[in-house]
Amino acid sequence: MATPTLTKTASSRSWKVGVGEFFGNCRGVTSCPTLSSLVQYPARKGRARRLGLGSNHPVPAPVGVRTRVPGTGGHQGILPPLHEVLNALGSLISKGQLQTHLAASLTRSASGFEIAVVTAVVLGLLVAWYRSLDRFLNPLLEVFRNTAALALLPVFTLLLGIGEISKISIVAYAAFFPVLLNTIAGVRTMDPLLIRAARSLGLSNFRLFQKVILPSAVPTIFTGIRMAGTSSILVLIAAEMVGAKAGLGYLIVNSQMSFLIPDMYAGILTVSLLGLLVNYLLVAVERHFSRWRTAVGSQSL
Amino acid sequence: MTAPGYPAPKISLRHIGKEFTVRPTKENPQGSRLTALQDISLEVAAGEFLTLVGPSGSGKTTLLDILAGLTKPDNGQVLVDGKEVTGPGRDRAVVFQQYALFPWRTAAANVSFGLEGATGLDGRKLSRSQRAEKAREYLQLVGLAGFEERFPHELSGGMKQRVAIARSLAYEPDILLMDEPFAALDAQTREQLQDELLRIWRSTGKTIIFITHGIDEAVYLGQRVAVLSSRPGRLKQLVDIDLGDRDGDVDLRSGAAFVEHRHRVWSLLHEEVLRAQEAGHAKIQPDGSAPDETWDATPQTTHGKAA
């Protein structure tokens, strides 16, 4: 399957170097997957399909890369055909390993995500409403917002250890800012007339938040929540790659280090599917809460 | 029907004054104070329909905000049933020009908005079904039976304003404050809604203060028309309107009485409109800016003389 040099590389060095070696090795080789070949241009489709048919792997676009290296055999281990990946996925599921890793990742990202959404929405409403709080917190928030979450991973690990708490915290941190900023924007752009109308009905501040400001900001807040959903998974996977004993990030990096390349791709595939699923669910929830919005191009006034 | 000398007026305004700080701009770095309302005293009887006209920038909306309790006057006080107004209250409802419906709520949910947390006759909170029942009842009153589940964006302008009126009536305030409610509607819809408003007023006996910039509308609807002067807004004159018997299909607007009253209000207003135009008055925005203002260094004295 794999060439000895690559095995050595993968087992003796970090995974990043391994990937670098891989791309380095195939420099100058015409059949090597280059960045441009990862994108299937329409004009190339025909050729790719022909090659795909010829190489006995009728596979869709992402693994279409494989069709660019038919017959060479040298990279078989690094770019396994889809059926091998699916086989690996199947065996991971049947052994219950995938479920364990998925459960670990989901628990972490869901906890972090929930903490982030609740705190960011509350803080966002307060910051948008109380100008003095905004002036006080804004510089601080800007500094933190512009600090990449992963750059703080070592700090979180130092402060909170390598256990669950540090991972949940970094997910919460990464998911916090998109929700916060969109909540603030949602409140700031609301129609002041609606606040006057609600005030004229004698609503207290709390009721005003609950019944007018929050519902009117919901569509904007959801934009932030969707962004947060994506980044919470992204950051978690990266965090799990660095220091964890379970989780999809761990599965991916551990498979790579053990040179179980199909398992690695099975992990990556699961991450993609998880991302898509999360986004789909959030869009569905968003649609439910934003039914009242006039759709663009709708017939009504 | 007129208020003066009435033993207990529903609403009484006593020497109301309100000033605004104009936000500093490039041309006017210090900003300035301008008087929106000056010494307005007025009494409105229970069940009266009073219309309020004035040139643009005469502080009509400010006066309505003060009545609603959304703004505090700098001078004077507002009494409702002899008690001073200190904030918004359920005895007064406001209908805005731009409807101000909550777009995420259906027509019925908009109408029942003011009922949430309200108590019924037995002192208990209204249940969901009781609120829905009331919403249906009031939507029917404004002629929108069957539109309960529509969202505001599915309704026409006239229908939206009907929902807004139903929302204001639903929690049964004594007083209805209306800020140019029909200004954004087309002429036909406006006339239709004017007649419906009169019908509702007669059947419910509410006290209504109705702001408008339309002289016809003011004369047609009001038992009295209060004419405000140009800035600083003061009560220029109160005109009693008597159009005789309103019942029947007579075209009141072509009648001699209507034309005569209309002309009186028009002459009063016309002087003020001209004065306002000369002074370049414009609306003061809620944030305190007055976009068209061209102030010299001593705005107050200039306008004091003008008025």
Side-chain angles (χ1 to χ4, degrees), chain A residues 174-203:
Chain A
F176 179 76
F177 288 100
V179 181
L180 179 79
L181 294 180
N182 279 284
T183 306
I184 294 173
V187 175
R188 292 251 165 93
T189 54
M190 83 166 287
D191 186 353
L193 184 66
L194 295 182
I195 295 177
R196 280 181 69 203
R199 279 240 180 274
S200 78
L201 293 165
L203 258 70

Side-chain angles (χ1 to χ4, degrees), chain B residues 215-281:
Chain B
I215 300 168
D216 284 30
E217 188 169 66
V219 173
Y220 186 71
L221 292 175
Q223 294 177 299
R224 286 193 299 164
V225 177
V227 183
L228 291 188
S229 69
S230 64
R231 194 178 297 156
R234 290 192 280 198
L235 188 60
K236 189 179 167 89
Q237 199 163 338
L238 275 165
V239 181
D240 286 310
I241 307 288
D242 183 13
L243 298 180
D245 187 15
R246 279 168 174 273
D247 295 330
D249 286 331
V250 193
D251 181 9
L252 273 177
R253 290 179 178 84
S254 331
F258 184 89
V259 174
E260 192 193 311
H261 284 299
R262 189 195 175 285
H263 181 70
R264 233 183 112 199
V265 175
W266 182 86
S267 332
L268 286 166
L269 196 59
H270 190 62
E271 298 165 28
E272 297 305 324
V273 170
L274 285 180
R275 196 170 290 166
Q277 273 172 355
E278 278 165 28
H281 284 169

